[in-house]
Amino acid sequence: MKTPGIAASEITDEGVFMNRRNLLRLGVGAAIGAAIGGCPAAEEAGAKDDSGSADSGLRPLTDVEPARARHRADDEISRYRDATEYNNFYEFGTGKRDPAHNAHSLKPEPWSIVVDGEAGKPGRVALEEILKPTRLEERIYRFRCVEAWSMVVPWIGLPLADVLKRFEPTSKARYVSFETLVDREQMPGQRRRVIDWPYREGLRMDEAMHPLSILAVGMYGRVLPNQNGAPIRLIVPWKYGFKSIKSIVRIHFSESQPNTSWNDLAADEYGFYANVNPEVDHPRWSQARERRLGDFRKRPTLPFNGYADEVATLYSKLNLRRFF
Ligand code: MTE
């Protein structure tokens, strides 16, 4: 990605191959739910990776519905340490290893989200209230960063639609946008104005209400590590990773298309839609192929990140070269 002072080398994933175990400093926190319960994907990933989630000290999430067949990517799940030590979270620095190193200062508990704009029931809601009515589910999704690296992660969360409906968006609500926490003490990267904080992202309402869109509160059977967006983040698997905003504190319904961070910074490089599309190159690199974290060879990138059957109809009226 491109912001002042960021070296081009940061768009490569060279760090994946380094031993970063000593840098692992997971933030402990986020009391979300309690109790017990199996998580097949987490066990699977832990078994092949000795630095797996079981060692993280993070709270296990329980009573989680295992991923249904259609929510279970066929690809091999990425190693826990790749998914948690190679991150983009500019609030903690612009280097790939900065978030794992610095995010211990984030306090994901207590947490609440303000909901406003075109909603019949706006207000401030505690995270526990958001999670209470719906059983958490596992979703094993491919995740493709605009920088051409990718991973497969067993997220745990709840459908975004279930949450949004509770605030009764009005008939004028055509878009929904999200904001990350602003707090220079907890997020030292915000002392530099690499982004006009807060980090902002948004979706069209039909995208937000699509069953594949989730709010994630965990991964690999446990609550989210701070560097992955604790305590609650968006996951939209058919879009480039920058849409999947972390550590959300505000949800806003609007009639007009919202401003979003990367689109504001470089509209010619990062579109509002940001659907994964191997046919539309980034101005500075090809999007035809991607490197899965942990792999040496690149693999072809799939249209809509492999979710075209489910989501392509959302864009039947859109020129995807123009609205990229
Ligand atoms: N959310 C916030 N608040 N700040 C960020 O810098 N980076 C985005 C997205 N969400 C980012 C963010 C980008 S560019 C990517 S690729 C993903 O988070 C990375 O998610 P991960 O670190 O869990 O792999």
Side-chain angles (χ1 to χ4, degrees):
M1 314 208 48
K2 178 187 155 194
T3 53
I6 296 175
S9 61
E10 288 182 10
I11 64 164
T12 71
D13 51 356
E14 89 287 352
V16 176
F17 306 105
M18 295 171 62
N19 177 1
R20 281 165 281 123
R21 183 183 306 237
N22 295 340
L23 294 176
L24 180 64
R25 242 196 256 168
L26 295 171
V28 180
I32 303 166
I36 319 301
C39 179
E43 283 159 18
E44 209 177 299
K48 65 183 166 91
D49 180 6
D50 64 351
S51 67
S53 61
D55 298 341
S56 70
L58 293 171
R59 181 185 299 262
L61 282 170
T62 55
D63 191 25
V64 175
E65 197 177 313
R68 284 170 233 169
R70 67 174 191 281
H71 295 146
R72 192 175 258 278
D74 292 335
D75 321 33
E76 195 179 349
I77 291 172
S78 298
R79 288 182 307 178
Y80 180 79
R81 74 165 191 221
D82 285 338
T84 59
E85 297 179 43
Y86 186 83
N87 300 98
N88 277 330
F89 200 169
Y90 280 17
E91 285 83 344
F92 296 101
T94 53
K96 291 289 181 276
R97 291 173 288 285
D98 291 343
H101 208 233
N102 298 331
H104 54 88
S105 51
L106 175 66
K107 296 188 197 76
E109 193 198 348
W111 197 269
S112 62
I113 297 183
V114 170
V115 182
D116 58 6
E118 293 294 342
K121 285 192 174 166
R124 179 183 285 275
V125 215
L127 182 60
E128 297 73 31
E129 294 303 315
I130 293 175
L131 301 184
K132 218 187 263 170
T134 315
R135 190 177 176 204
L136 294 176
E137 343 172 2
E138 186 177 53
R139 301 283 180 104
I140 305 173
Y141 282 160
R142 287 176 292 276
F143 184 99
R144 167 60 156 88
C145 178
V146 73
E147 298 162 332
W149 55 266
S150 65
M151 58 184 181
V152 179
V153 174
W155 303 106
I156 292 171
L158 64 173
L160 177 60
D162 284 10
V163 176
L164 297 184
K165 280 180 202 155
R166 294 184 218 153
F167 304 105
E168 299 182 1
T170 70
S171 56
K172 282 189 181 165
R174 292 181 54 228
Y175 295 88
V176 57
S177 53
F178 306 85
E179 286 178 15
T180 297
L181 177 72
V182 181
D183 183 324
R184 287 162 152 227
E185 296 305 314
Q186 292 188 59
M187 298 180 146
Q190 290 179 335
R191 291 175 198 157
R192 280 176 67 205
R193 231 177 133 201
V194 287
I195 283 174
D196 182 14
W197 313 109
Y199 192 102
R200 296 183 181 88
E201 260 311 332
L203 298 170
R204 228 169 49 188
M205 274 305 271
D206 58 342
E207 300 178 313
M209 301 308 264
H210 191 280
L212 286 179
S213 300
I214 61 165
L215 285 171
V217 294
M219 60 199 285
Y220 298 84
R222 293 173 182 260
V223 295
L224 285 177
N226 287 355
Q227 64 269 34
N228 291 89
I232 185 163
R233 73 175 296 179
L234 185 66
I235 296 293
V236 190
W238 71 93
K239 292 180 179 282
Y240 290 122
F242 68 85
K243 299 296 286 184
S244 291
I245 181 172
K246 298 175 169 182
S247 306
I248 296 168
V249 293
R250 184 176 177 212
I251 297 178
H252 179 82
F253 297 100
S254 61
E255 194 168 7
S256 52
Q257 185 178 306
N259 282 66
T260 54
S261 293
W262 282 102
N263 189 243
D264 282 358
L265 273 169
D268 54 329
E269 301 192 14
Y270 310 105
F272 173 80
Y273 282 92
N275 293 314
V276 174
N277 189 343
E279 288 176 14
V280 175
D281 287 341
H282 184 279
R284 290 180 285 129
W285 58 86
S286 164
Q287 293 294 25
R289 298 171 71 74
E290 68 199 54
R291 197 192 309 277
R292 196 54 58 83
L293 296 187
D295 284 1
F296 286 98
R297 285 180 194 279
K298 290 194 170 184
R299 64 177 71 205
T301 286
L302 303 173
F304 297 104
N305 203 21
Y307 298 98
D309 286 352
E310 285 116 304
V311 302
T313 52
L314 294 176
Y315 309 102
S316 50
K317 292 190 192 126
L318 217 58
N319 175 343
L320 294 174
R321 290 199 168 268
R322 192 157 159 241
F323 296 95
F324 59 95

